Amino acid sequence: MSIMSGCQGKPTSPTIHEKVCPRCGNIIEIFSIDTQIPCDNCGFVAYNDTLSCVQWCQYARKCVGDEMYEHMMEIAALQKQKAAEERQRKEEENA
């Protein structure tokens, strides 16, 4: 699924990122405009962790659809929580 097809602020040049498939270890290439992509080796569906536009764009829900929007916002909330816990852990270590 591509974000670009419905994006009101289409990026001029998408970037590509590499992820390691958690199932088989294969390198998965995912474009910044893709929300998900299956692994070429095992078929595991990897999601794009770069959620910045979904987090702030007023058109995000319309762009990616309700189900994907909710899923991506859940991932963003978990990432934010993990980052806060990591910051707290480091502060406690340094205290």
Side-chain angles (χ1 to χ4, degrees), residues 31-78:
F31 283 94
S32 58
I33 58 171
D34 292 328
T35 55
Q36 63 188 37
I37 189 161
C39 174
D40 291 335
N41 189 50
C42 71
F44 179 85
V45 176
Y47 290 92
N48 192 340
D49 299 30
T50 311
L51 303 174
S52 59
C53 69
V54 173
Q55 293 172 337
W56 55 261
C57 181
Q58 65 179 344
Y59 301 105
R61 186 180 292 273
K62 187 176 184 180
C63 182
V64 299
D66 289 335
E67 185 177 340
M68 182 58 70
Y69 177 82
E70 294 299 330
H71 181 70
M72 293 174 84
M73 292 305 286
E74 287 175 18
I75 293 171
L78 288 172

